[in-house]
Amino acid sequence: MSRRTAVWVAAAVLVIAVTAVWLLSRGSRRTAGPEGLPGTTSPIALSTAPEIELQLLFPDFAGGLRTETRTISNPGSLEEIVRRTVEELLVGPAESGRVAPFPPTIEVANVFVSTDGTAYVDLTSPDETPPPPSGSRQELVTVYSVVNSILLTAPELDGVALLWNGVQRASFAGHLDTSRPLRVKRDLITR
């Protein structure tokens, strides 16, 4: 074997070894999910405290998001933390100057957390109506009310994919790309 071939083989073996170690380390805190679906985040990574604080971000009248903190009993699983966070958002704010992100008829149909750290949240409307129409700023704060609340409450997660009546839509109101998982958008948070 020539020197050049030996170098290429050694480099390939090194890349494979590093990739295998990285994949094993990422998968070590994950467990298998329901049949046919990716795995879910292991509850080992979660707090074992009896109570947890939800960081709820409600749209305000100035086009930003304002934080309310609520303490709940620790539900014990990441999916249930995400579900409770969204359910509390849908109940609406306790403080004035803020509004619920969606009308009171909207509910959480399902929540799933994949092995890559993405929370999939399926919101459902009565009679499977489409999301409420809105302008670009309202759509932005509505969607990021949910996304930011989930990701600030559960920092173990990397992104949030929103579904509406079981479908991941390209957009909720035609202005914001919701066809992919979204990350925290801190510049919308006001004091």
Side-chain angles (χ1 to χ4, degrees), residues 6 9 27 41 67 87-89 92 94 97 104 127 129 135 141 149 153 169 171 180:
V9 169
T41 303
T67 305
E87 288 173 346
E88 288 293 322
L89 273 174
D127 303 324
T129 56
V141 295
S149 295
T153 295
R169 300 172 59 95
S171 181
R180 58 183 169 71

Side-chain angles (χ1 to χ4, degrees), residues 35-60:
E35 183 178 332
L37 297 173
T40 57
T41 303
S42 169
I44 295 170
L46 298 177
S47 167
T48 57
E51 296 181 329
I52 61 168
E53 282 191 350
L54 304 179
Q55 303 300 315
L56 305 177
L57 289 114
F58 291 100
D60 65 18

